[in-house]
Amino acid sequence: MSNTKKVTLNIFRFNSETDYLPHYQKVELEVSQEEVVLDLLNRIKWDIDGSFSYRRSCRHGICGSCAVKVNNKTVLACKERVFDLIDIFGTDWTIDPSSKSRAIKDLVVDKKDFWEKYNAVTPYLVADIDEHPECENIILPETAEKLEEADYCIQCGCCYYACPVIEVNEDYFGPAAFVKAYRFNADVRDNAKIDRLKTVDPIGPGVWDCVKCFECSEACPKDIDPQSKITKLHNQLFEEGVAENNVASRHAVGFKKSIEKHGILDEGMLVAYSEGCAVVKHIPEALEMFKKGKIVMPWNMPKSKNMDEIKKLVKISSTAKF
Amino acid sequence: MENLKYALYTGCTARESTPELLKSTLAVAKKLGIELVLLDEASCCGASHLQDFDDFLSLVLNARNICYAEKLGLPMVTICNTCQLNTAMTKKRLDENPELKAKVNEKLAEVGLEYKGTSEVRHFLYALIDDYGLENISSKVEKPLSSLNIAAFYGCHNIRPSELHDGSNLNENPYKPTSLDRLIEALEGNSVDYEHKNKCCGFHVDLQAPRTANLLSGHALLDAMDNNADVMVTPCPLCHLNLDVKQKSISKTVGRDINLPVIHLPQMIGLALGISPSDLGLQHHVTEVATS
């Protein structure tokens, strides 16, 4: 069996100082089983076109600088094995910067918005620490475990540039900032939990705008699972009483109310409870749905069997307050 | 072939705003000779919103749902991607964490139930392909879909996080899913290749961020239309609601007219099996589906 394969690469080329629009350069390479994407980028620069630009530094999956997209999959170029990509996509690849709209030169992007949002969540420990401590501030293993994998984030931006909300809502903080907010909120030594929660609570930039698509968790090269940290920030908002009473928080709480009453959701009442008076804006779509038999009237609202069980479980299992 | 039998977890949407999904699922199962036992005792899965508010309660309720499939001694099938995600995630967390499982079972014992972890949980799409088989489905086709360009829209929660679904979704690759496309081809339809097939429709922020939801749904619909799709098909009723019901609103947001029928997975199969459009509930769609 051959240890090499031929791949065709369409490389994104753009110089923001001289080009009006980007173009793609086609490159064919014979690649071997041992190579990662960064090896191919290096070969293009060293052997084919010295003007080709991309970021790289540590070459060990630690610095996070070499994040690019291959056929829309965000990867760390130094970690992604070429034969693994061939298994997924075959041998025709398009290599793009992690964000085409932020490209400065070829695969190099301007991460200004990433860092601004990252900085906005107070991404460091806030604590009054004795300048001359008499002993170490020891953290027990079970306490450290609460940070989960959030500590391993290398700020590569893979999750951020994979997140679809980032492309349509310029205010949205994005998964990397949320992971960092969770990381320090889960640290027992930290004193800024409430402030961070107030930062991530507002609709628009905050956690309520997460679409729950798991693109971030899929993209993360360090297996941090940002989506689970976003869920935990939601939980903390309720636990700490920080969650504002708005359409999004009521929507989450409305599920419990509806389950307690019907077992399954009363979809109409859930929207009404979440929206409050603003529910009237849904009337045109509701009428369209009604005409097509997509709305259940209150007197026909189905219920789960054995409702007494469900009511009891809600009563004895629920601890969250709103 | 051995008779297939599953416990059907319908989820809430198929009981309410997408009645055609339940109707077409039952019709297709009957036609294929698959027995479905409805889990009428089941509650809502929390749809990942209850999980934001009360994680432990969502675990208890989802475990209870699985208990009822276990009592029947059947694997559970779901017909909603988000139900699949939340049920499978509960199962994984309990199966991997004996301490958490014990805490949940302590509550379930109060109503005479015990979660054991014996029932598998799979989406109907993957049960059909894996257990029934594409070749067998293909052999039942009475009205090939050869005149239709069909855009598969996978929906997030069947394919991501891939680690959770490993094995139960045929190890679908989230960056290049193939199951729906292969099914379309087995029904002799033309599968449309387009970039947004594995992207998010934005359903879960529809109330608090309607512009975000409209843009994400709009990108998918326009991409499919621009690649000559006649119809879009999805295994997720939540995606369906966004993509079908909101097309007028989405058109305003994206500044282009959109008129693309969006049908449910079993409706597509049912059409190819020769089931009548009315028995598949195609009249329930807000964006009209031409049935001639």
Side-chain angles (χ1 to χ4, degrees):
Chain A
M1 199 174 82
S2 168
N3 284 329
T4 66
K5 289 181 181 174
K6 187 180 275 185
V7 294
T8 303
L9 310 178
N10 284 299
I11 310 284
F12 180 93
R13 301 302 305 266
F14 178 64
N15 184 337
S16 60
E17 292 184 356
T18 57
D19 298 340
Y20 179 62
L21 287 173
H23 67 280
Y24 284 88
Q25 180 181 358
K26 189 173 175 179
V27 177
E28 289 189 345
L29 291 176
E30 195 77 22
V31 299
S32 64
Q33 201 161 10
E34 300 77 28
E35 286 184 298
V36 292
V37 172
L38 185 59
D39 293 318
L40 312 194
L41 303 184
N42 287 339
R43 282 164 59 193
I44 294 167
K45 185 170 184 70
W46 297 339
D47 302 338
I48 299 171
D49 185 343
S51 72
F52 176 52
S53 299
Y54 51 97
R55 284 200 178 107
R56 80 279 191 198
S57 184
C58 76
R59 214 237 180 266
H60 290 288
I62 297 299
C63 76
S65 60
C66 66
V68 297
K69 281 186 179 171
V70 180
N71 287 4
N72 258 331
K73 173 175 161 48
T74 304
V75 301
L76 280 188
C78 71
K79 201 179 171 198
E80 196 73 20
R81 301 176 71 86
V82 293
F83 270 43
D84 288 346
L85 286 173
I86 291 172
D87 284 345
I88 302 174
F89 296 119
T91 54
D92 283 340
W93 304 350
T94 299
I95 301 193
D96 285 310
S98 50
S99 169
K100 285 194 267 192
S101 60
R102 295 165 178 82
I104 302 168
K105 189 165 188 300
D106 302 333
L107 304 184
V108 177
V109 298
D110 179 356
K111 286 177 74 173
K112 184 168 178 277
D113 61 331
F114 172 88
W115 290 115
E116 282 176 352
K117 291 169 182 174
Y118 180 82
N119 289 337
V121 300
T122 319
Y124 45 83
L125 191 81
V126 177
D128 293 325
I129 294 175
D130 188 344
E131 285 184 22
H132 305 287
E134 290 179 3
C135 61
E136 292 173 33
N137 190 356
I138 293 173
I139 300 295
L140 297 171
E142 55 266 35
T143 311
E145 276 173 16
K146 289 186 178 166
L147 307 183
E148 297 188 343
E149 317 85 359
D151 219 16
Y152 301 144
C153 177
I154 57 173
Q155 294 92 47
C156 62
C158 283
C159 62
Y160 183 82
Y161 298 114
C163 172
V165 183
I166 289 298
E167 295 306 313
V168 297
N169 173 2
E170 64 181 21
D171 297 327
Y172 185 58
F173 285 132
F178 294 142
V179 165
K180 198 52 69 173
Y182 170 77
R183 184 258 171 265
F184 287 105
N185 278 3
D187 193 317
V188 290
R189 301 165 296 180
D190 182 77
N191 295 323
K193 183 176 186 179
I194 300 299
D195 286 343
R196 268 189 221 97
L197 288 175
K198 285 179 178 170
T199 303
V200 302
D201 184 44
I203 290 175
V207 286
W208 301 109
D209 284 56
C210 168
V211 290
K212 303 171 185 288
C213 68
F214 286 87
E215 288 270 19
C216 54
S217 296
E218 205 62 51
C220 177
K222 307 302 280 186
D223 295 331
I224 286 170
D225 189 8
Q227 185 75 60
S228 67
K229 310 304 176 282
I230 293 171
T231 300
K232 292 205 165 160
L233 285 176
H234 279 112
N235 295 156
Q236 289 176 356
L237 285 168
F238 288 112
E239 285 160 11
E240 301 293 339
V242 174
E244 276 188 34
N245 185 345
N246 59 31
V247 60
S249 56
R250 284 195 300 272
H251 191 55
V253 176
F255 273 74
K256 178 185 163 186
K257 290 181 179 294
S258 198
I259 290 169
E260 200 170 17
K261 196 169 175 189
H262 301 282
I264 67 170
L265 291 185
D266 181 340
E267 293 175 328
M269 285 310 294
L270 178 66
V271 175
Y273 172 75
S274 307
E275 291 280 18
C277 297
V279 73
V280 292
K281 71 185 176 196
H282 295 289
I283 287 175
E285 273 165 11
L287 284 174
E288 295 268 9
M289 291 175 75
F290 176 72
K291 278 192 278 184
K292 298 291 186 176
K294 279 176 159 327
I295 293 212
V296 174
M297 292 292 113
W299 51 89
N300 287 329
M301 180 59 211
K303 281 192 178 194
S304 302
K305 269 190 190 170
N306 299 0
M307 271 308 298
D308 53 331
E309 274 180 27
I310 295 171
K311 283 178 194 287
K312 184 166 184 182
L313 287 175
V314 172
K315 190 175 176 187
I316 64 174
S317 308
S318 177
T319 52
K321 298 275 189 296
F322 181 65
Chain B
M1 186 173 58
E2 187 188 343
N3 283 345
L4 295 175
K5 189 173 179 182
Y6 302 100
L8 175 64
Y9 177 60
T10 65
C12 307
T13 310
R15 303 266 191 178
E16 295 174 70
S17 52
T18 61
E20 70 279 2
L21 173 59
L22 183 53
K23 190 175 181 175
S24 55
T25 301
L26 297 176
V28 163
K30 188 177 174 190
K31 185 95 180 185
L32 293 176
I34 297 171
E35 193 176 344
L36 296 178
V37 182
L38 266 70
L39 292 174
D40 290 326
E41 301 87 352
S43 69
C44 172
C45 71
S48 74
H49 295 284
L50 177 64
Q51 285 75 358
D52 288 342
F53 177 54
D54 197 329
D55 182 57
F56 185 67
L57 176 61
S58 81
L59 281 174
V60 171
L61 292 174
N62 280 297
R64 175 182 172 275
N65 293 340
I66 302 171
C67 282
Y68 276 97
E70 291 181 353
K71 280 173 84 168
L72 293 169
L74 294 173
M76 180 194 274
V77 290
T78 61
I79 48 175
C80 167
N81 290 20
T82 297
C83 294
Q84 175 62 30
L85 170 82
N86 289 301
T87 312
M89 196 174 270
T90 297
K91 181 171 170 52
K92 185 178 170 74
R93 286 175 67 187
L94 298 188
D95 290 352
E96 291 180 352
N97 186 338
E99 200 180 322
L100 188 61
K101 184 174 161 182
K103 278 185 190 169
V104 166
N105 270 332
E106 190 185 313
K107 301 297 178 188
L108 291 173
E110 296 276 327
V111 294
L113 293 170
E114 183 190 1
Y115 170 83
K116 297 188 180 74
T118 52
S119 281
E120 294 304 313
V121 180
R122 256 189 310 171
H123 193 284
F124 192 46
L125 166 67
Y126 297 106
L128 280 178
I129 295 178
D130 206 16
D131 296 347
Y132 200 86
L134 283 177
E135 281 183 13
N136 288 326
I137 293 172
S138 195
S139 71
K140 302 266 182 180
V141 170
E142 291 177 16
K143 292 188 175 175
L145 305 179
S146 46
S147 62
L148 285 176
N149 292 334
I150 306 172
F153 188 78
Y154 283 83
C156 303
H157 293 163
N158 259 5
I159 56 176
R160 287 183 292 266
S162 55
E163 191 186 48
L164 171 74
H165 301 298
D166 251 5
S168 67
N169 71 349
L170 313 173
N171 297 321
E172 190 99 83
N173 191 306
Y175 297 102
K176 200 177 178 186
T178 61
S179 59
L180 266 177
D181 293 279
R182 286 187 288 133
L183 180 58
I184 290 167
E185 279 154 24
L187 303 173
E188 300 179 44
N190 310 308
S191 161
V192 173
D193 192 21
Y194 71 115
E195 188 182 320
H196 283 80
K197 68 169 60 175
N198 61 344
K199 300 297 177 192
C200 178
C201 73
F203 178 85
H204 291 281
V205 297
D206 208 20
L207 294 184
Q208 64 267 37
R211 186 172 183 276
T212 294
N214 279 4
L215 286 171
L216 297 183
S217 284
H219 292 164
L221 289 163
L222 290 174
D223 191 9
M225 283 167 59
D226 290 345
N227 283 283
N228 300 316
D230 301 311
V231 62
M232 183 180 266
V233 65
T234 178
C236 178
L238 307 184
C239 296
H240 168 85
L241 282 175
N242 249 26
L243 296 163
D244 169 56
V245 174
K246 294 188 65 199
Q247 287 194 15
K248 281 184 190 163
S249 166
I250 294 168
S251 294
K252 281 184 194 162
T253 305
V254 299
R256 264 181 71 185
D257 283 341
I258 297 175
N259 187 16
L260 184 68
V262 182
I263 62 175
H264 300 283
L265 166 78
Q267 288 181 318
M268 175 181 73
I269 301 169
L271 286 171
L273 297 180
I275 301 171
S276 75
S278 63
D279 285 348
L280 295 169
L282 284 162
Q283 67 278 15
H284 287 295
H285 293 241
V286 169
T287 304
E288 298 279 345
V289 185
T291 52
S292 54

